Amino acid sequence: MKVQTKSKKVNKAWLNSHVNDPYVKAAQKDGYRARAAYKLKEIDEQLKLIRPGDTVVDLGCTPGAWSQYVRRRLSPDGAAVGQLNGRIISLDLLPMEPIEGVQYIQGDFREESVLAQLTEALQGGKADIVVSDMAPNLSGNGTTDAARVAHLVELAVDFSCHHMKPEGALVVKLFHGGSYDEMVALFRQTFKVVKPIKPKSSRDKSSETFLVGMGLK
């Protein structure tokens, strides 16, 4: 006799929920690689962050949904291919399928050599917008995971302080609990305007949220 394990039940429930998720369906229809595109879309539409001609750095880009969204925003007619009014530099530890007009760097953002490649890609210029969907592999240990998340956020803030225009904006993903209050305090020390946003496309059960910092102090 076969016994269905709890994990199989959970996996089946998650799969069913995923397949019927309206944002998953929208991503398939709109040609985005992941439903995450709508998280950045909602943040951008609310705050009017990305403008034609901008240089945008996408940290933790794989599979590329955020870069796809930015690419369309910088296209004069919103197309996924063709003319591009601006620059997109994307980075991730994992490989990413090419996106037309996007300069991709594979490497670990925590390593100096990879940061140097990113700096070189900016060609002496500075980013208008930095977006980060970076998240560590979670261990299940709350204290350890909070420290890992905080470290990635701190790296994104440090990068922005050195390589983003004073009037620019940084968008990062983080999670409630753990180091959340500490990261909000860091943003308030660094940016003139700080906005926490939980997009509608972020799953209700998820503790993820996004922090937006606008204008360096």
Side-chain angles (χ1 to χ4, degrees), residues 21-72:
D21 186 308
Y23 292 102
V24 171
K25 292 180 177 178
Q28 292 168 346
K29 177 177 174 290
D30 294 339
Y32 286 119
R33 295 176 182 176
R35 67 193 300 287
Y38 300 101
K39 299 174 188 178
L40 182 58
K41 183 175 188 287
E42 189 175 334
I43 293 167
D44 181 40
E45 289 178 346
Q46 184 174 329
L47 299 176
K48 305 291 189 292
L49 298 176
I50 303 168
R51 298 179 176 87
D54 279 352
T55 293
V56 181
V57 173
D58 180 4
L59 303 173
C61 60
T62 301
W66 278 24
S67 289
Q68 285 180 304
Y69 172 74
V70 174
R71 197 253 177 267
R72 295 183 192 193

mmCIF file of all heavy atoms in Angstrom, residues 21-72:
data_model
loop_
_atom_site.group_PDB
_atom_site.id
_atom_site.type_symbol
_atom_site.label_atom_id
_atom_site.label_comp_id
_atom_site.label_asym_id
_atom_site.label_seq_id
_atom_site.Cartn_x
_atom_site.Cartn_y
_atom_site.Cartn_z
ATOM 1 N N ASP A 21 -1.727 30.474 -10.154
ATOM 2 C CA ASP A 21 -1.388 31.834 -9.737
ATOM 3 C C ASP A 21 -1.593 32.802 -10.907
ATOM 4 O O ASP A 21 -1.047 32.590 -11.994
ATOM 5 C CB ASP A 21 0.084 31.844 -9.301
ATOM 6 C CG ASP A 21 0.505 33.175 -8.701
ATOM 7 O OD1 ASP A 21 0.280 34.220 -9.345
ATOM 8 O OD2 ASP A 21 1.081 33.168 -7.606
ATOM 9 N N PRO A 22 -2.372 33.862 -10.704
ATOM 10 C CA PRO A 22 -2.628 34.800 -11.806
ATOM 11 C C PRO A 22 -1.358 35.479 -12.328
ATOM 12 O O PRO A 22 -1.278 35.806 -13.518
ATOM 13 C CB PRO A 22 -3.587 35.830 -11.192
ATOM 14 C CG PRO A 22 -3.422 35.687 -9.702
ATOM 15 C CD PRO A 22 -3.094 34.258 -9.476
ATOM 16 N N TYR A 23 -0.366 35.676 -11.464
ATOM 17 C CA TYR A 23 0.870 36.317 -11.910
ATOM 18 C C TYR A 23 1.749 35.354 -12.706
ATOM 19 O O TYR A 23 2.485 35.773 -13.595
ATOM 20 C CB TYR A 23 1.632 36.904 -10.716
ATOM 21 C CG TYR A 23 0.912 38.066 -10.091
ATOM 22 C CD1 TYR A 23 0.189 37.902 -8.906
ATOM 23 C CD2 TYR A 23 0.923 39.324 -10.687
ATOM 24 C CE1 TYR A 23 -0.498 38.972 -8.334
ATOM 25 C CE2 TYR A 23 0.245 40.399 -10.123
ATOM 26 C CZ TYR A 23 -0.463 40.211 -8.941
ATOM 27 O OH TYR A 23 -1.140 41.274 -8.383
ATOM 28 N N VAL A 24 1.660 34.060 -12.375
ATOM 29 C CA VAL A 24 2.364 33.056 -13.175
ATOM 30 C C VAL A 24 1.755 33.018 -14.572
ATOM 31 O O VAL A 24 2.464 33.003 -15.589
ATOM 32 C CB VAL A 24 2.283 31.663 -12.515
ATOM 33 C CG1 VAL A 24 2.825 30.583 -13.454
ATOM 34 C CG2 VAL A 24 3.060 31.651 -11.206
ATOM 35 N N LYS A 25 0.427 33.029 -14.633
ATOM 36 C CA LYS A 25 -0.266 33.033 -15.928
ATOM 37 C C LYS A 25 0.050 34.296 -16.716
ATOM 38 O O LYS A 25 0.278 34.254 -17.930
ATOM 39 C CB LYS A 25 -1.774 32.904 -15.713
ATOM 40 C CG LYS A 25 -2.204 31.547 -15.173
ATOM 41 C CD LYS A 25 -3.708 31.481 -14.980
ATOM 42 C CE LYS A 25 -4.141 30.098 -14.510
ATOM 43 N NZ LYS A 25 -5.608 30.025 -14.278
ATOM 44 N N ALA A 26 0.089 35.439 -16.016
ATOM 45 C CA ALA A 26 0.395 36.714 -16.684
ATOM 46 C C ALA A 26 1.817 36.704 -17.235
ATOM 47 O O ALA A 26 2.070 37.189 -18.346
ATOM 48 C CB ALA A 26 0.208 37.873 -15.709
ATOM 49 N N ALA A 27 2.760 36.139 -16.456
ATOM 50 C CA ALA A 27 4.156 36.075 -16.893
ATOM 51 C C ALA A 27 4.280 35.241 -18.164
ATOM 52 O O ALA A 27 5.006 35.612 -19.095
ATOM 53 C CB ALA A 27 5.033 35.497 -15.789
ATOM 54 N N GLN A 28 3.566 34.125 -18.213
ATOM 55 C CA GLN A 28 3.588 33.277 -19.407
ATOM 56 C C GLN A 28 3.012 34.027 -20.605
ATOM 57 O O GLN A 28 3.555 33.970 -21.705
ATOM 58 C CB GLN A 28 2.790 31.994 -19.144
ATOM 59 C CG GLN A 28 3.453 31.070 -18.119
ATOM 60 C CD GLN A 28 2.539 29.954 -17.646
ATOM 61 O OE1 GLN A 28 1.327 29.988 -17.865
ATOM 62 N NE2 GLN A 28 3.112 28.961 -16.964
ATOM 63 N N LYS A 29 1.944 34.753 -20.374
ATOM 64 C CA LYS A 29 1.290 35.516 -21.445
ATOM 65 C C LYS A 29 2.159 36.670 -21.929
ATOM 66 O O LYS A 29 2.262 36.936 -23.140
ATOM 67 C CB LYS A 29 -0.054 36.050 -20.941
ATOM 68 C CG LYS A 29 -0.814 36.927 -21.924
ATOM 69 C CD LYS A 29 -2.158 37.331 -21.335
ATOM 70 C CE LYS A 29 -2.875 38.327 -22.241
ATOM 71 N NZ LYS A 29 -2.221 39.654 -22.259
ATOM 72 N N ASP A 30 2.801 37.363 -20.986
ATOM 73 C CA ASP A 30 3.580 38.562 -21.325
ATOM 74 C C ASP A 30 5.024 38.259 -21.714
ATOM 75 O O ASP A 30 5.770 39.171 -22.090
ATOM 76 C CB ASP A 30 3.570 39.549 -20.140
ATOM 77 C CG ASP A 30 2.175 40.100 -19.864
ATOM 78 O OD1 ASP A 30 1.327 40.054 -20.771
ATOM 79 O OD2 ASP A 30 1.945 40.577 -18.735
ATOM 80 N N GLY A 31 5.435 37.000 -21.581
ATOM 81 C CA GLY A 31 6.783 36.628 -21.989
ATOM 82 C C GLY A 31 7.857 36.892 -20.945
ATOM 83 O O GLY A 31 9.040 36.985 -21.285
ATOM 84 N N TYR A 32 7.443 36.998 -19.670
ATOM 85 C CA TYR A 32 8.430 37.158 -18.601
ATOM 86 C C TYR A 32 8.877 35.793 -18.092
ATOM 87 O O TYR A 32 8.082 34.852 -18.049
ATOM 88 C CB TYR A 32 7.851 37.964 -17.433
ATOM 89 C CG TYR A 32 7.718 39.436 -17.717
ATOM 90 C CD1 TYR A 32 6.469 40.067 -17.687
ATOM 91 C CD2 TYR A 32 8.837 40.221 -17.995
ATOM 92 C CE1 TYR A 32 6.352 41.426 -17.928
ATOM 93 C CE2 TYR A 32 8.724 41.573 -18.238
ATOM 94 C CZ TYR A 32 7.472 42.172 -18.212
ATOM 95 O OH TYR A 32 7.361 43.513 -18.462
ATOM 96 N N ARG A 33 10.127 35.707 -17.669
ATOM 97 C CA ARG A 33 10.682 34.432 -17.211
ATOM 98 C C ARG A 33 10.198 34.033 -15.823
ATOM 99 O O ARG A 33 10.339 32.878 -15.430
ATOM 100 C CB ARG A 33 12.214 34.510 -17.228
ATOM 101 C CG ARG A 33 12.761 34.673 -18.631
ATOM 102 C CD ARG A 33 14.264 34.858 -18.633
ATOM 103 N NE ARG A 33 14.759 35.053 -19.990
ATOM 104 C CZ ARG A 33 16.024 35.311 -20.290
ATOM 105 N NH1 ARG A 33 16.920 35.414 -19.324
ATOM 106 N NH2 ARG A 33 16.383 35.471 -21.551
ATOM 107 N N ALA A 34 9.672 34.980 -15.066
ATOM 108 C CA ALA A 34 9.184 34.686 -13.710
ATOM 109 C C ALA A 34 8.155 35.739 -13.304
ATOM 110 O O ALA A 34 8.157 36.861 -13.818
ATOM 111 C CB ALA A 34 10.343 34.679 -12.711
ATOM 112 N N ARG A 35 7.300 35.351 -12.381
ATOM 113 C CA ARG A 35 6.268 36.256 -11.863
ATOM 114 C C ARG A 35 6.873 37.443 -11.124
ATOM 115 O O ARG A 35 6.196 38.458 -10.896
ATOM 116 C CB ARG A 35 5.308 35.483 -10.934
ATOM 117 C CG ARG A 35 5.963 35.014 -9.662
ATOM 118 C CD ARG A 35 5.145 33.999 -8.884
ATOM 119 N NE ARG A 35 3.852 34.470 -8.458
ATOM 120 C CZ ARG A 35 3.636 35.330 -7.485
ATOM 121 N NH1 ARG A 35 4.674 35.866 -6.844
ATOM 122 N NH2 ARG A 35 2.417 35.684 -7.160
ATOM 123 N N ALA A 36 8.161 37.341 -10.748
ATOM 124 C CA ALA A 36 8.837 38.421 -10.019
ATOM 125 C C ALA A 36 8.838 39.734 -10.796
ATOM 126 O O ALA A 36 8.959 40.806 -10.193
ATOM 127 C CB ALA A 36 10.274 38.010 -9.703
ATOM 128 N N ALA A 37 8.699 39.658 -12.113
ATOM 129 C CA ALA A 37 8.676 40.885 -12.930
ATOM 130 C C ALA A 37 7.604 41.861 -12.439
ATOM 131 O O ALA A 37 7.812 43.082 -12.450
ATOM 132 C CB ALA A 37 8.425 40.535 -14.400
ATOM 133 N N TYR A 38 6.490 41.324 -11.977
ATOM 134 C CA TYR A 38 5.372 42.189 -11.572
ATOM 135 C C TYR A 38 5.626 42.877 -10.231
ATOM 136 O O TYR A 38 5.001 43.901 -9.926
ATOM 137 C CB TYR A 38 4.066 41.384 -11.553
ATOM 138 C CG TYR A 38 3.778 40.815 -12.921
ATOM 139 C CD1 TYR A 38 4.054 39.492 -13.214
ATOM 140 C CD2 TYR A 38 3.306 41.640 -13.947
ATOM 141 C CE1 TYR A 38 3.842 38.976 -14.487
ATOM 142 C CE2 TYR A 38 3.091 41.137 -15.217
ATOM 143 C CZ TYR A 38 3.366 39.814 -15.485
ATOM 144 O OH TYR A 38 3.174 39.311 -16.754
ATOM 145 N N LYS A 39 6.542 42.324 -9.437
ATOM 146 C CA LYS A 39 6.914 42.984 -8.187
ATOM 147 C C LYS A 39 7.635 44.296 -8.501
ATOM 148 O O LYS A 39 7.301 45.353 -7.966
ATOM 149 C CB LYS A 39 7.801 42.072 -7.340
ATOM 150 C CG LYS A 39 7.135 40.766 -6.937
ATOM 151 C CD LYS A 39 8.110 39.829 -6.232
ATOM 152 C CE LYS A 39 7.500 38.463 -6.004
ATOM 153 N NZ LYS A 39 8.446 37.514 -5.370
ATOM 154 N N LEU A 40 8.623 44.212 -9.394
ATOM 155 C CA LEU A 40 9.354 45.429 -9.774
ATOM 156 C C LEU A 40 8.451 46.377 -10.547
ATOM 157 O O LEU A 40 8.522 47.593 -10.352
ATOM 158 C CB LEU A 40 10.583 45.064 -10.612
ATOM 159 C CG LEU A 40 11.461 46.246 -11.037
ATOM 160 C CD1 LEU A 40 11.975 47.023 -9.824
ATOM 161 C CD2 LEU A 40 12.631 45.779 -11.887
ATOM 162 N N LYS A 41 7.588 45.834 -11.381
ATOM 163 C CA LYS A 41 6.656 46.663 -12.166
ATOM 164 C C LYS A 41 5.773 47.497 -11.236
ATOM 165 O O LYS A 41 5.597 48.700 -11.434
ATOM 166 C CB LYS A 41 5.785 45.775 -13.059
ATOM 167 C CG LYS A 41 4.824 46.524 -13.990
ATOM 168 C CD LYS A 41 4.116 45.516 -14.911
ATOM 169 C CE LYS A 41 3.294 46.233 -15.974
ATOM 170 N NZ LYS A 41 2.078 46.854 -15.427
ATOM 171 N N GLU A 42 5.247 46.857 -10.194
ATOM 172 C CA GLU A 42 4.375 47.555 -9.254
ATOM 173 C C GLU A 42 5.132 48.642 -8.490
ATOM 174 O O GLU A 42 4.637 49.762 -8.317
ATOM 175 C CB GLU A 42 3.769 46.548 -8.276
ATOM 176 C CG GLU A 42 2.695 47.133 -7.392
ATOM 177 C CD GLU A 42 2.039 46.078 -6.510
ATOM 178 O OE1 GLU A 42 2.029 44.894 -6.894
ATOM 179 O OE2 GLU A 42 1.555 46.462 -5.430
ATOM 180 N N ILE A 43 6.353 48.314 -8.048
ATOM 181 C CA ILE A 43 7.181 49.294 -7.336
ATOM 182 C C ILE A 43 7.506 50.472 -8.239
ATOM 183 O O ILE A 43 7.399 51.644 -7.845
ATOM 184 C CB ILE A 43 8.484 48.626 -6.830
ATOM 185 C CG1 ILE A 43 8.165 47.594 -5.745
ATOM 186 C CG2 ILE A 43 9.456 49.677 -6.289
ATOM 187 C CD1 ILE A 43 9.324 46.671 -5.405
ATOM 188 N N ASP A 44 7.883 50.173 -9.480
ATOM 189 C CA ASP A 44 8.246 51.214 -10.438
ATOM 190 C C ASP A 44 7.054 52.105 -10.778
ATOM 191 O O ASP A 44 7.173 53.329 -10.833
ATOM 192 C CB ASP A 44 8.807 50.558 -11.706
ATOM 193 C CG ASP A 44 9.236 51.578 -12.746
ATOM 194 O OD1 ASP A 44 9.823 52.615 -12.362
ATOM 195 O OD2 ASP A 44 8.990 51.348 -13.941
ATOM 196 N N GLU A 45 5.904 51.506 -11.003
ATOM 197 C CA GLU A 45 4.714 52.286 -11.357
ATOM 198 C C GLU A 45 4.257 53.166 -10.197
ATOM 199 O O GLU A 45 3.748 54.270 -10.402
ATOM 200 C CB GLU A 45 3.586 51.354 -11.807
ATOM 201 C CG GLU A 45 3.858 50.723 -13.173
ATOM 202 C CD GLU A 45 2.777 49.752 -13.610
ATOM 203 O OE1 GLU A 45 1.948 49.356 -12.750
ATOM 204 O OE2 GLU A 45 2.764 49.381 -14.791
ATOM 205 N N GLN A 46 4.471 52.689 -8.987
ATOM 206 C CA GLN A 46 4.072 53.460 -7.804
ATOM 207 C C GLN A 46 4.999 54.656 -7.569
ATOM 208 O O GLN A 46 4.540 55.751 -7.211
ATOM 209 C CB GLN A 46 4.067 52.553 -6.578
ATOM 210 C CG GLN A 46 3.563 53.226 -5.307
ATOM 211 C CD GLN A 46 3.446 52.236 -4.156
ATOM 212 O OE1 GLN A 46 3.189 51.048 -4.347
ATOM 213 N NE2 GLN A 46 3.657 52.712 -2.937
ATOM 214 N N LEU A 47 6.310 54.443 -7.793
ATOM 215 C CA LEU A 47 7.290 55.467 -7.435
ATOM 216 C C LEU A 47 7.938 56.169 -8.637
ATOM 217 O O LEU A 47 8.716 57.110 -8.443
ATOM 218 C CB LEU A 47 8.389 54.851 -6.557
ATOM 219 C CG LEU A 47 7.904 54.249 -5.230
ATOM 220 C CD1 LEU A 47 9.055 53.590 -4.500
ATOM 221 C CD2 LEU A 47 7.263 55.321 -4.347
ATOM 222 N N LYS A 48 7.620 55.690 -9.849
ATOM 223 C CA LYS A 48 8.174 56.305 -11.085
ATOM 224 C C LYS A 48 9.715 56.352 -11.038
ATOM 225 O O LYS A 48 10.327 57.394 -11.194
ATOM 226 C CB LYS A 48 7.623 57.725 -11.259
ATOM 227 C CG LYS A 48 6.099 57.819 -11.262
ATOM 228 C CD LYS A 48 5.502 57.206 -12.497
ATOM 229 C CE LYS A 48 3.999 57.485 -12.628
ATOM 230 N NZ LYS A 48 3.166 56.822 -11.627
ATOM 231 N N LEU A 49 10.315 55.183 -10.838
ATOM 232 C CA LEU A 49 11.765 55.119 -10.649
ATOM 233 C C LEU A 49 12.547 55.104 -11.956
ATOM 234 O O LEU A 49 13.549 55.804 -12.097
ATOM 235 C CB LEU A 49 12.122 53.862 -9.838
ATOM 236 C CG LEU A 49 11.552 53.758 -8.420
ATOM 237 C CD1 LEU A 49 11.923 52.409 -7.815
ATOM 238 C CD2 LEU A 49 12.073 54.896 -7.545
ATOM 239 N N ILE A 50 12.137 54.257 -12.907
ATOM 240 C CA ILE A 50 12.921 54.002 -14.120
ATOM 241 C C ILE A 50 12.445 54.896 -15.253
ATOM 242 O O ILE A 50 11.259 54.911 -15.586
ATOM 243 C CB ILE A 50 12.827 52.518 -14.521
ATOM 244 C CG1 ILE A 50 13.294 51.629 -13.356
ATOM 245 C CG2 ILE A 50 13.665 52.235 -15.775
ATOM 246 C CD1 ILE A 50 12.977 50.149 -13.538
ATOM 247 N N ARG A 51 13.415 55.628 -15.837
ATOM 248 C CA ARG A 51 13.075 56.570 -16.908
ATOM 249 C C ARG A 51 13.951 56.311 -18.130
ATOM 250 O O ARG A 51 15.068 55.797 -17.998
ATOM 251 C CB ARG A 51 13.278 58.012 -16.441
ATOM 252 C CG ARG A 51 12.395 58.424 -15.262
ATOM 253 C CD ARG A 51 12.673 59.858 -14.836
ATOM 254 N NE ARG A 51 11.781 60.297 -13.786
ATOM 255 C CZ ARG A 51 11.983 60.116 -12.492
ATOM 256 N NH1 ARG A 51 13.075 59.488 -12.086
ATOM 257 N NH2 ARG A 51 11.114 60.565 -11.602
ATOM 258 N N PRO A 52 13.471 56.669 -19.325
ATOM 259 C CA PRO A 52 14.279 56.505 -20.540
ATOM 260 C C PRO A 52 15.653 57.158 -20.382
ATOM 261 O O PRO A 52 15.765 58.248 -19.811
ATOM 262 C CB PRO A 52 13.452 57.220 -21.610
ATOM 263 C CG PRO A 52 12.048 57.137 -21.111
ATOM 264 C CD PRO A 52 12.145 57.240 -19.624
ATOM 265 N N GLY A 53 16.677 56.470 -20.840
ATOM 266 C CA GLY A 53 18.039 56.991 -20.754
ATOM 267 C C GLY A 53 18.788 56.565 -19.511
ATOM 268 O O GLY A 53 19.993 56.802 -19.392
ATOM 269 N N ASP A 54 18.097 55.916 -18.566
ATOM 270 C CA ASP A 54 18.729 55.511 -17.305
ATOM 271 C C ASP A 54 19.747 54.391 -17.510
ATOM 272 O O ASP A 54 19.631 53.578 -18.429
ATOM 273 C CB ASP A 54 17.678 55.011 -16.308
ATOM 274 C CG ASP A 54 16.969 56.143 -15.583
ATOM 275 O OD1 ASP A 54 17.386 57.313 -15.743
ATOM 276 O OD2 ASP A 54 15.992 55.866 -14.851
ATOM 277 N N THR A 55 20.715 54.365 -16.592
ATOM 278 C CA THR A 55 21.594 53.206 -16.443
ATOM 279 C C THR A 55 21.113 52.443 -15.221
ATOM 280 O O THR A 55 21.035 53.004 -14.128
ATOM 281 C CB THR A 55 23.060 53.633 -16.243
ATOM 282 O OG1 THR A 55 23.542 54.244 -17.439
ATOM 283 C CG2 THR A 55 23.943 52.431 -15.915
ATOM 284 N N VAL A 56 20.749 51.180 -15.429
ATOM 285 C CA VAL A 56 20.180 50.363 -14.350
ATOM 286 C C VAL A 56 21.076 49.163 -14.087
ATOM 287 O O VAL A 56 21.481 48.459 -15.018
ATOM 288 C CB VAL A 56 18.758 49.881 -14.710
ATOM 289 C CG1 VAL A 56 18.171 49.050 -13.567
ATOM 290 C CG2 VAL A 56 17.851 51.071 -15.027
ATOM 291 N N VAL A 57 21.393 48.929 -12.818
ATOM 292 C CA VAL A 57 22.158 47.751 -12.408
ATOM 293 C C VAL A 57 21.198 46.801 -11.696
ATOM 294 O O VAL A 57 20.499 47.190 -10.755
ATOM 295 C CB VAL A 57 23.329 48.126 -11.473
ATOM 296 C CG1 VAL A 57 23.995 46.869 -10.922
ATOM 297 C CG2 VAL A 57 24.349 48.988 -12.221
ATOM 298 N N ASP A 58 21.160 45.547 -12.167
ATOM 299 C CA ASP A 58 20.268 44.528 -11.621
ATOM 300 C C ASP A 58 21.109 43.466 -10.914
ATOM 301 O O ASP A 58 21.795 42.670 -11.551
ATOM 302 C CB ASP A 58 19.452 43.910 -12.769
ATOM 303 C CG ASP A 58 18.479 42.828 -12.305
ATOM 304 O OD1 ASP A 58 18.366 42.598 -11.086
ATOM 305 O OD2 ASP A 58 17.831 42.213 -13.181
ATOM 306 N N LEU A 59 21.061 43.463 -9.590
ATOM 307 C CA LEU A 59 21.833 42.516 -8.782
ATOM 308 C C LEU A 59 20.976 41.302 -8.431
ATOM 309 O O LEU A 59 19.843 41.457 -7.978
ATOM 310 C CB LEU A 59 22.313 43.196 -7.498
ATOM 311 C CG LEU A 59 23.159 44.462 -7.679
ATOM 312 C CD1 LEU A 59 23.415 45.118 -6.321
ATOM 313 C CD2 LEU A 59 24.481 44.144 -8.372
ATOM 314 N N GLY A 60 21.525 40.114 -8.633
ATOM 315 C CA GLY A 60 20.750 38.902 -8.385
ATOM 316 C C GLY A 60 19.707 38.707 -9.464
ATOM 317 O O GLY A 60 18.540 38.450 -9.182
ATOM 318 N N CYS A 61 20.129 38.840 -10.725
ATOM 319 C CA CYS A 61 19.204 38.966 -11.846
ATOM 320 C C CYS A 61 18.548 37.671 -12.317
ATOM 321 O O CYS A 61 17.434 37.702 -12.857
ATOM 322 C CB CYS A 61 19.919 39.602 -13.032
ATOM 323 S SG CYS A 61 21.354 38.656 -13.611
ATOM 324 N N THR A 62 19.223 36.531 -12.144
ATOM 325 C CA THR A 62 18.702 35.269 -12.684
ATOM 326 C C THR A 62 17.343 34.906 -12.075
ATOM 327 O O THR A 62 17.178 35.077 -10.869
ATOM 328 C CB THR A 62 19.717 34.137 -12.416
ATOM 329 O OG1 THR A 62 20.948 34.479 -13.042
ATOM 330 C CG2 THR A 62 19.258 32.823 -12.979
ATOM 331 N N PRO A 63 16.379 34.457 -12.866
ATOM 332 C CA PRO A 63 16.442 34.077 -14.276
ATOM 333 C C PRO A 63 16.353 35.229 -15.280
ATOM 334 O O PRO A 63 16.478 35.013 -16.467
ATOM 335 C CB PRO A 63 15.238 33.147 -14.420
ATOM 336 C CG PRO A 63 14.238 33.683 -13.443
ATOM 337 C CD PRO A 63 15.051 34.147 -12.266
ATOM 338 N N GLY A 64 16.097 36.452 -14.791
ATOM 339 C CA GLY A 64 16.140 37.593 -15.687
ATOM 340 C C GLY A 64 14.850 38.380 -15.818
ATOM 341 O O GLY A 64 14.758 39.292 -16.638
ATOM 342 N N ALA A 65 13.853 38.075 -14.996
ATOM 343 C CA ALA A 65 12.556 38.747 -15.118
ATOM 344 C C ALA A 65 12.646 40.252 -14.853
ATOM 345 O O ALA A 65 12.005 41.050 -15.534
ATOM 346 C CB ALA A 65 11.537 38.107 -14.176
ATOM 347 N N TRP A 66 13.444 40.644 -13.842
ATOM 348 C CA TRP A 66 13.579 42.075 -13.563
ATOM 349 C C TRP A 66 14.317 42.776 -14.705
ATOM 350 O O TRP A 66 13.937 43.880 -15.107
ATOM 351 C CB TRP A 66 14.317 42.286 -12.236
ATOM 352 C CG TRP A 66 13.403 42.157 -11.040
ATOM 353 C CD1 TRP A 66 12.225 41.468 -10.982
ATOM 354 C CD2 TRP A 66 13.597 42.732 -9.752
ATOM 355 N NE1 TRP A 66 11.682 41.572 -9.731
ATOM 356 C CE2 TRP A 66 12.498 42.348 -8.963
ATOM 357 C CE3 TRP A 66 14.595 43.519 -9.199
ATOM 358 C CZ2 TRP A 66 12.364 42.734 -7.621
ATOM 359 C CZ3 TRP A 66 14.474 43.907 -7.852
ATOM 360 C CH2 TRP A 66 13.362 43.519 -7.090
ATOM 361 N N SER A 67 15.352 42.135 -15.237
ATOM 362 C CA SER A 67 16.067 42.729 -16.376
ATOM 363 C C SER A 67 15.151 42.842 -17.589
ATOM 364 O O SER A 67 15.226 43.812 -18.350
ATOM 365 C CB SER A 67 17.294 41.880 -16.724
ATOM 366 O OG SER A 67 18.294 41.992 -15.738
ATOM 367 N N GLN A 68 14.292 41.850 -17.783
ATOM 368 C CA GLN A 68 13.322 41.912 -18.879
ATOM 369 C C GLN A 68 12.397 43.116 -18.710
ATOM 370 O O GLN A 68 12.113 43.834 -19.674
ATOM 371 C CB GLN A 68 12.483 40.636 -18.922
ATOM 372 C CG GLN A 68 13.180 39.418 -19.475
ATOM 373 C CD GLN A 68 12.250 38.216 -19.479
ATOM 374 O OE1 GLN A 68 11.693 37.835 -18.447
ATOM 375 N NE2 GLN A 68 12.059 37.636 -20.659
ATOM 376 N N TYR A 69 11.909 43.319 -17.484
ATOM 377 C CA TYR A 69 11.017 44.454 -17.237
ATOM 378 C C TYR A 69 11.740 45.771 -17.497
ATOM 379 O O TYR A 69 11.202 46.658 -18.175
ATOM 380 C CB TYR A 69 10.480 44.439 -15.798
ATOM 381 C CG TYR A 69 9.713 45.692 -15.476
ATOM 382 C CD1 TYR A 69 8.442 45.904 -15.993
ATOM 383 C CD2 TYR A 69 10.295 46.720 -14.724
ATOM 384 C CE1 TYR A 69 7.750 47.087 -15.756
ATOM 385 C CE2 TYR A 69 9.619 47.893 -14.476
ATOM 386 C CZ TYR A 69 8.343 48.076 -14.998
ATOM 387 O OH TYR A 69 7.674 49.257 -14.775
ATOM 388 N N VAL A 70 12.965 45.902 -16.987
ATOM 389 C CA VAL A 70 13.744 47.137 -17.181
ATOM 390 C C VAL A 70 13.997 47.364 -18.672
ATOM 391 O O VAL A 70 13.877 48.487 -19.165
ATOM 392 C CB VAL A 70 15.080 47.071 -16.410
ATOM 393 C CG1 VAL A 70 15.948 48.282 -16.737
ATOM 394 C CG2 VAL A 70 14.829 47.001 -14.908
ATOM 395 N N ARG A 71 14.319 46.287 -19.391
ATOM 396 C CA ARG A 71 14.585 46.384 -20.822
ATOM 397 C C ARG A 71 13.375 46.962 -21.570
ATOM 398 O O ARG A 71 13.503 47.793 -22.457
ATOM 399 C CB ARG A 71 14.934 44.985 -21.354
ATOM 400 C CG ARG A 71 15.625 45.001 -22.710
ATOM 401 C CD ARG A 71 14.715 44.545 -23.814
ATOM 402 N NE ARG A 71 15.419 44.666 -25.079
ATOM 403 C CZ ARG A 71 15.362 45.733 -25.865
ATOM 404 N NH1 ARG A 71 14.654 46.798 -25.518
ATOM 405 N NH2 ARG A 71 16.013 45.780 -26.998
ATOM 406 N N ARG A 72 12.195 46.533 -21.181
ATOM 407 C CA ARG A 72 10.974 47.045 -21.823
ATOM 408 C C ARG A 72 10.718 48.498 -21.428
ATOM 409 O O ARG A 72 10.237 49.291 -22.248
ATOM 410 C CB ARG A 72 9.787 46.155 -21.455
ATOM 411 C CG ARG A 72 9.935 44.734 -22.004
ATOM 412 C CD ARG A 72 8.728 43.867 -21.706
ATOM 413 N NE ARG A 72 9.005 42.461 -21.994
ATOM 414 C CZ ARG A 72 8.076 41.528 -22.069
ATOM 415 N NH1 ARG A 72 6.802 41.831 -21.855
ATOM 416 N NH2 ARG A 72 8.401 40.272 -22.334
#
